[in-house]
Amino acid sequence: MTGELWWVPSAVVFGGAGAIVVLLGALARRRGRTHAREDRSLADGRVRAASIALVRADDVVQATADELGFAEAQFGQNATHDFAAAHDASRRQVRDAFALQQKLDDSEPESESERRHWTEQIIVLADEATKRLTEQDRDFSSRRGLERDAPHLLDQLRRRLTRVAERVKAGEASLKRLGATYAPSALAPISGNVVRAQAALDEARLATDAAAARLDRASSEPVGDQLREAEHGLYRAGKLLDAIETGEDQLHIGFASLTRALVDADAELAEARRLRDTHEETEARTELNRVIAVSDRVVGELRHPSRLSDPAADLARLREAIGGLDVTRSEARNRQLRLENARGALIGALLAARSQIRVTRDFIAAHPGRVGSPARTRLAEAERQLSLATAEADPVAALDTARRAMTHATDADALARFDTL
């Protein structure tokens, strides 16, 4: 009976486990079939993408062959050299892509990995070929538009040449005016801009004249390069002249900042002089005098009416001088505050020392013969230190001495009371 009870549940367990294994296997096969269908769908999609890209690239190569011929006839082979090289490179890529497509289409068996690799290669080759030719075609379309609009563009360039020439004269006048106020070092970043702008303007005028001559002759020669050269020259000249205007604004702003800083420096110097005149320490007064003289000299030089200013350098020099003045003034103010605090504390320290000395002296007098020499010696030193503190002119030193007198008096009192026990 026991054996039967043991075997029946075991069979049930093993039977259940087998069913689970079968179920898991079925699920795994189903997932495998699903993944296989997804992979095939993805692969089919890439194959279609490769076919579309290849057809588009072949159409572009065929179409741009005509465009290249038109461009060579209009602009010449030198101007279309890059276009021709791009067309040859794209045509080779399309030919290579067709060769790969043929390998995919033939009956020879290939592995799936090879098919995927060739498909991706076809897409890359076709896309590169299309992009290269599209960019070249866009460039020459722009050139043709430039040639078509050349008369109108030439009129615009001539008007711009006139305006820029007027700006060159204005820039020259601005630099001359600025030279009366600002130092050469301040004008250095823009001082050569007029000469460089005039050179760029001359290049633009030559290119414009060359384009105009071709148009006047009704020549078939393209003028786009000359128009672009003129445009570039005018752009460079404009940027150089813009820098003069911007530089002038920055110089004026810097000079205004320097003027305000000089006014602030006057206030700083006035405060430093007041502190010097009221300070109790000779050393502090001497140091204040030194930095005041340095700052005063710098301020005077920067304010000299005949001096040409370099606002940035002048501001840096003034800030360095006033910075040194601030440091010394702060140190002197702290030393004066220390004196004033010591003077206030000295009054209390002297009163405390006198009181303790009096109490100790009275205690010793009340116990004649019983208090030994150590206590009496410390009391005598306390009285001597108190006398020195009273005579000391320096409140800080006087405070330290008064505190020593208090310490000796306290020690003397303790020793005297110990002796009388």
Side-chain angles (χ1 to χ4, degrees):
M1 177 63 71
T2 303
E4 291 178 359
L5 290 174
W6 185 84
W7 281 107
V8 171
S10 299
V12 172
V13 170
F14 284 119
I20 292 173
V21 170
V22 171
L23 178 60
L24 291 176
L27 290 174
R29 287 191 297 274
R30 181 179 299 173
R31 283 196 296 268
R33 288 194 296 270
T34 302
H35 291 161
R37 285 196 299 271
E38 290 175 353
D39 291 343
R40 284 195 299 273
S41 176
L42 180 61
D44 292 343
R46 296 305 288 169
V47 167
R48 286 192 297 273
S51 178
I52 293 171
L54 184 54
V55 170
R56 181 172 64 246
D58 189 45
D59 287 343
V60 170
V61 168
Q62 299 302 324
T64 53
D66 294 336
E67 291 295 328
L68 177 59
F70 297 149
E72 288 177 346
Q74 184 174 9
F75 299 104
Q77 290 187 348
N78 288 335
T80 58
H81 177 269
D82 291 342
F83 194 177
H87 186 267
D88 288 342
S90 294
R91 185 172 54 190
R92 285 194 299 272
Q93 284 184 310
V94 171
R95 184 174 62 244
D96 293 343
F98 273 123
L100 289 172
Q101 185 64 52
Q102 180 62 42
K103 293 173 72 174
L104 286 173
D105 293 342
D106 65 20
S107 58
E108 296 178 10
E110 306 102 2
S111 68
E112 284 301 319
S113 62
E114 284 181 324
R115 293 183 65 84
R116 284 195 298 270
H117 178 65
W118 293 343
T119 299
E120 295 302 324
Q121 275 191 303
I122 291 171
I123 293 174
V124 169
L125 290 170
D127 286 348
E128 286 182 356
T130 300
K131 181 179 179 182
R132 184 186 299 108
L133 290 179
T134 300
E135 290 174 353
Q136 287 292 329
D137 184 60
R138 185 184 302 116
D139 177 60
F140 275 89
S141 295
S142 175
R143 289 192 180 193
R144 281 191 290 272
L146 188 64
E147 298 296 334
R148 184 176 57 252
D149 298 336
H152 174 66
L153 295 175
L154 189 62
D155 288 341
Q156 289 183 334
L157 285 172
R158 282 170 170 163
R159 287 193 292 271
R160 289 179 61 193
L161 284 169
T162 301
R163 290 196 298 269
V164 173
E166 292 173 353
R167 288 191 65 196
V168 168
K169 293 179 181 178
E172 186 176 10
S174 295
L175 286 177
K176 185 176 181 180
R177 183 179 65 256
L178 292 172
T181 304
Y182 298 106
S185 58
L187 297 175
I190 57 174
S191 58
N193 282 23
V194 166
V195 174
R196 290 193 288 270
Q198 183 63 57
L201 178 64
D202 291 343
E203 292 175 5
R205 184 175 286 110
L206 287 174
T208 302
D209 291 344
R214 288 187 179 185
L215 290 177
D216 290 343
R217 294 196 305 267
S219 171
S220 61
E221 296 178 278
V223 297
D225 289 344
Q226 286 72 28
L227 294 178
R228 275 193 294 270
E229 184 178 350
E231 176 72 30
H232 183 59
L234 287 172
Y235 174 79
R236 287 190 290 115
K239 296 297 288 185
L240 289 166
L241 296 170
D242 289 344
I244 293 177
E245 297 172 1
T246 301
E248 180 175 6
D249 291 341
Q250 292 174 343
L251 286 171
H252 293 333
I253 292 171
F255 189 79
S257 298
L258 176 63
T259 301
R260 290 193 297 270
L262 287 170
V263 173
D264 294 339
D266 289 338
E268 298 278 344
L269 281 166
E271 185 177 345
R273 291 189 183 98
R274 285 193 296 270
L275 181 59
R276 176 201 60 190
D277 295 341
T278 58
H279 209 288
E280 299 180 42
E281 290 188 357
T282 302
E283 183 181 351
R285 290 197 299 272
T286 301
E287 188 61 20
L288 280 169
N289 241 348
R290 184 188 67 79
V291 294
I292 287 172
V294 170
S295 299
D296 216 10
R297 183 174 64 254
V298 171
V299 169
E301 289 176 1
L302 296 181
R303 277 208 173 104
H304 197 282
S306 63
R307 182 179 180 278
L308 297 178
S309 176
D310 184 340
D314 293 348
L315 269 171
R317 185 183 175 197
L318 179 62
R319 285 168 179 160
E320 182 180 2
I322 296 302
L325 177 68
D326 286 341
V327 170
T328 303
R329 189 181 61 187
S330 178
E331 293 173 352
R333 188 183 294 113
N334 290 337
R335 293 169 72 172
Q336 181 63 36
L337 183 61
R338 183 166 172 258
L339 289 173
E340 293 170 358
N341 291 338
R343 187 175 290 110
L346 178 60
I347 297 173
L350 290 173
L351 287 173
R354 287 193 186 101
S355 176
Q356 185 62 56
I357 290 172
R358 187 182 309 111
V359 168
T360 304
R361 176 62 63 188
D362 290 346
F363 183 82
I364 293 173
H367 300 83
R370 297 181 62 185
V371 177
S373 63
R376 296 172 188 270
T377 300
R378 283 169 175 74
L379 180 61
E381 181 61 20
E383 290 173 337
R384 190 181 75 83
Q385 293 288 338
L386 179 62
S387 177
L388 291 174
T390 304
E392 177 61 58
D394 182 357
V396 176
L399 178 61
D400 291 340
T401 306
R403 286 170 174 167
R404 285 195 297 272
M406 180 64 180
T407 300
H408 287 303
T410 303
D411 291 346
D413 186 75
L415 290 170
R417 294 180 187 280
F418 181 77
D419 289 343
T420 58
L421 292 176

